[in-house]
Amino acid sequence: MKNVGVLLVWNLLVLSATGDLEVTKNSTSFRTSGEICLNGGVSVSSLTGGRHMFCLCADGFEGKLCETAKAQDCYVGVGHFYRGTVSKSWRGRMCEEWDAETRQRYLTSDVNAGRHNYCRNPNFRRRPWCYVRRNLKLVAEYCDVPRCTLKPTPPSPAATETQIAELSCGLPTRRMQYKIVGGETTAVEAHPWYAAVLRQKHGRLGLHCGGSLISPCWVLTAAHCIPDGSKTNMSAFSIILGRNRLHEENPAVEQQFSVEQIFVHEGYGKYLEFDDDIALMKLKAKDGQCAKRSNFVNTICLPPPQQFVPAGTLCEIVGFGDEKEGAAVNPEHLKEAQVNIFPDDMCAGPGFYGKRISEKMFCAGRLDWSRDSCQGDSGGPLACEVGSRFFQFGIVSWGDGCARSLRPGVYTKVSKYNQWIEEKTGLITSGVLYPEK
């Protein structure tokens, strides 16, 4: 199981490297309980009147109401997940049925448990292939299967204008990098929801954790960033929004707040260490107002309840955390890194974290173990782009060391906590935007 898990993640990383993962990254796995969007699409509504604007379609579907299935006889990445019915090699030879050993090892979840002669790529070759008879010998040949080039159907121009006018969460001002472990220096304009959580210790105010702005007055972070729980001295904390350099203030763009209320999840650490690792910090308003939206400060979107993105999706982490395990000082510049979502069964597998993983956690990283969150990144957001907007699917929680082999970062699954967030903050988290009631 350990090796199969590693191979699966390798395939996901290959998809990312080739750019084909864009098909998944810019689509959505959200579900809708309404009758507007079909086949697992989610309806995006306006704030004014709550009217339907357009559908964000699930991967594999397109059309105004997500009513049309995309062509399936093409492959993404190296085609490990190809499930089409092409059964001839590129030379025109008919494929042989898969042998019992291959079916049992790789194709148990395939069509008819692998009892077919369709082209597949179970062992991560360059593209789908099959066994054929050549001069009475059984040999492997690549198949004549095209690479997928389809992109998700974008919303209409009219809907996009309305979206921009009425929905502001999850929209970065600009995407920029100049060159988190293995990450690159970035600008806060690319992550305007990032909140630096500072704490007074030994008479000095220093970086303690990260967080994310989910509404003008509320920051989402990790429970383990609040070490004393309900007994925490709130006056010891300070939240800074819009900061690009850790030790360089810029009053023209930054917004700094003290904290007036903290909620730590009641279940934190009760059953598993770092289970329910989520907390909320309320900013203390100035002149009746909390955070002001600007090019450097904006809220991030929260995903609908119980929804998640597919394994392999490329997402982003950001923070001022250590650049390597055991580093003496935090980096001066804000850094970002891109990581892939790992399959749940792999993360909780015996070769990785096993029973230390609950259904409220997930793992993300890169198979070469070059990119990871680290000390100081705790509480920060893991954000994934869905329909040109960033949603916070994870909170940096824990992991064995930083960027260690077979020890990816572990994140709190945010969409498990919509109801808890609503109860504590009064925010509405069932739509795309999350205004205060």
Side-chain angles (χ1 to χ4, degrees):
M1 288 297 296
K2 174 180 175 181
N3 291 334
V4 172
V6 171
L7 287 174
L8 177 58
V9 177
W10 169 249
N11 185 63
L12 299 176
L13 300 180
V14 170
L15 302 187
S16 172
T18 61
D20 290 319
L21 191 59
E22 183 178 350
V23 173
T24 298
K25 185 181 73 170
N26 289 336
S27 59
T28 174
S29 63
F30 294 170
R31 299 293 182 264
T32 177
S33 58
E35 299 178 355
I36 299 175
C37 304
L38 305 175
N39 298 310
V42 62
S43 171
V44 176
S45 302
S46 67
L47 286 179
T48 309
R51 59 186 174 83
H52 167 77
M53 293 196 300
F54 60 89
C55 293
L56 290 177
C57 298
D59 188 36
F61 294 91
E62 59 188 347
K64 185 175 180 180
L65 301 179
C66 307
E67 71 279 7
T68 305
K70 295 179 180 179
Q72 296 300 309
D73 264 335
C74 61
Y75 70 93
V76 175
V78 295
H80 180 69
F81 297 109
Y82 171 71
R83 292 296 180 267
T85 57
V86 173
S87 56
K88 286 185 177 181
S89 76
W90 70 277
R91 295 178 182 271
R93 295 187 175 94
M94 184 63 65
C95 297
E96 296 288 321
E97 283 199 5
W98 295 98
D99 61 275
E101 181 181 354
T102 301
R103 293 200 307 268
Q104 183 177 4
R105 187 172 183 183
Y106 298 112
L107 303 178
T108 55
S109 61
D110 205 324
V111 179
N112 295 329
R115 291 181 176 274
H116 57 68
N117 69 333
Y118 303 144
C119 300
R120 294 292 184 261
N121 190 11
N123 58 351
F124 305 91
R125 297 188 182 187
R126 285 184 292 174
R127 61 181 189 268
W129 58 279
C130 68
Y131 288 114
V132 299
R133 292 284 177 182
R134 191 168 67 197
N135 298 327
L136 301 179
K137 292 183 179 180
L138 199 63
V139 296
E141 287 187 356
Y142 287 115
C143 292
D144 189 20
V145 182
R147 183 184 293 272
C148 295
T149 58
L150 290 171
K151 304 295 181 184
T153 302
S156 67
T160 302
E161 291 175 3
T162 306
Q163 178 186 34
I164 293 173
E166 296 188 288
L167 307 179
S168 63
C169 72
L171 294 175
T173 305
R174 55 178 169 166
R175 310 295 292 157
M176 57 186 295
Q177 299 175 344
Y178 306 105
K179 177 149 171 77
I180 294 190
V181 177
E184 298 177 344
T185 300
T186 185
V188 73
E189 297 98 310
H191 312 271
W193 40 82
Y194 178 76
V197 180
L198 279 62
R199 186 185 181 206
Q200 195 88 331
K201 191 174 183 180
H202 305 306
R204 298 182 62 183
L205 191 64
L207 178 71
H208 180 62
C209 274
S212 54
L213 190 70
I214 61 171
S215 87
C217 289
W218 288 97
V219 165
L220 189 66
T221 188
H224 77 265
C225 290
I226 318 296
D228 300 320
S230 59
K231 299 179 181 179
T232 292
N233 177 15
M234 289 180 289
S235 63
F237 288 97
S238 183
I239 307 294
I240 299 181
L241 307 172
R243 175 161 288 190
N244 266 311
R245 293 172 62 95
L246 184 58
H247 298 104
E248 184 177 303
E249 297 182 11
N250 188 349
V253 301
E254 293 177 8
Q255 299 178 39
Q256 187 166 350
F257 297 89
S258 55
V259 177
E260 71 172 16
Q261 197 171 19
I262 292 177
F263 291 109
V264 176
H265 197 282
E266 299 79 3
Y268 171 61
K270 281 189 176 181
Y271 305 104
L272 284 175
E273 186 181 14
F274 296 110
D275 209 13
D276 296 318
D277 192 10
I278 184 171
L280 288 156
M281 309 180 83
K282 187 175 184 181
L283 308 182
K284 188 173 182 178
K286 299 177 181 179
D287 299 323
Q289 187 174 2
C290 298
K292 300 177 182 178
R293 187 170 180 268
S294 70
N295 288 340
F296 305 91
V297 176
N298 191 20
T299 55
I300 191 169
C301 301
L302 297 181
Q306 305 300 321
Q307 304 308 316
F308 203 58
V309 287
T313 301
L314 194 65
C315 301
E316 297 180 352
I317 51 177
V318 61
F320 286 108
D322 294 348
E323 295 183 271
K324 63 180 180 179
E325 187 175 344
V329 295
N330 298 109
E332 182 62 24
H333 294 275
L334 188 65
K335 303 198 80 177
E336 73 171 25
Q338 293 184 320
V339 292
N340 291 99
I341 304 297
F342 284 8
D344 288 340
D345 57 352
M346 177 194 151
C347 182
F352 287 75
Y353 288 118
K355 295 182 179 179
R356 299 165 66 187
I357 299 294
S358 78
E359 63 176 7
K360 300 174 185 178
M361 308 174 189
F362 68 93
C363 294
R366 302 298 284 263
L367 189 61
D368 60 3
W369 315 113
S370 62
R371 301 180 185 184
D372 195 9
S373 50
C374 201
Q375 187 71 28
D377 291 320
S378 291
L382 178 143
C384 311
E385 189 175 7
V386 179
S388 75
R389 187 177 299 276
F390 281 88
F391 288 76
Q392 183 174 355
F393 285 92
I395 300 171
V396 178
S397 181
W398 64 280
D400 288 348
C402 306
R404 293 185 187 178
S405 178
L406 304 182
R407 292 295 180 266
V410 184
Y411 301 80
T412 302
K413 191 174 288 187
V414 173
S415 59
K416 294 284 187 181
Y417 298 93
N418 293 66
Q419 183 177 350
W420 182 79
I421 293 172
E422 288 185 357
E423 291 174 354
K424 301 303 182 185
T425 65
L427 301 176
I428 301 171
T429 67
S430 55
V432 175
L433 259 191
Y434 309 97
E436 295 179 64
K437 294 179 181 177

